[in-house]
Amino acid sequence: RNAPVFQSVLYKLRLEGDRSNPADWLKRDYWVNKVGGVCFYSVTETQPMLYCAQKDLAMAEIEVIDVPPESIYQHVFRVTLELKGDLRPTEFAAESKEA
């Protein structure tokens, strides 16, 4: 069920993090599982965790972010999930457009 059908390393920006500060980006393995959910390996919990279910991802707003040159990563995107009535925007970065 949690086996990856697509996997990549992404960097997650800490809540209220600074895009130009390397310490504010958390490197994590993310993957889409067989049922369409997005999972990641939690270093804190030392186990795989579900970032969002397929139904939440289908309703999410995903946008590419234009970042200034001083940003550590240039391929940044924001995923805004609506969970229990709350909007939860999270910024991610990839090392390349293809990732």
Side-chain angles (χ1 to χ4, degrees):
R1 179 177 168 99
N2 275 334
V5 293
F6 175 80
Q7 187 169 0
S8 184
V9 171
L10 294 176
Y11 299 84
K12 178 184 169 284
L13 186 63
R14 293 180 190 270
L15 186 62
E16 299 182 23
D18 178 355
R19 291 185 192 129
S20 64
N21 182 355
D24 285 346
W25 291 98
L26 306 173
K27 183 179 181 179
R28 299 287 184 267
D29 289 322
Y30 281 83
W31 64 93
V32 177
N33 66 18
K34 290 182 178 182
V35 294
V38 177
C39 301
F40 68 100
Y41 185 80
S42 171
V43 173
T44 306
E45 300 291 327
T46 63
Q47 66 180 357
M49 304 286 287
L50 181 67
Y51 170 70
C52 70
Q54 186 277 334
K55 65 180 176 66
D56 298 321
L57 186 59
M59 301 300 293
E61 179 180 345
I62 301 171
E63 56 190 312
V64 174
I65 305 296
D66 289 326
V67 294
E70 60 270 11
S71 177
I72 297 297
Y73 299 102
Q74 295 300 305
H75 307 289
V76 178
F77 61 98
R78 181 181 300 127
V79 177
T80 302
L81 300 171
E82 185 173 345
L83 301 172
K84 299 180 182 174
D86 291 332
L87 292 179
R88 299 193 183 169
T90 305
E91 288 190 17
F92 295 94
E95 293 178 347
S96 69
K97 282 185 179 182
E98 294 75 27

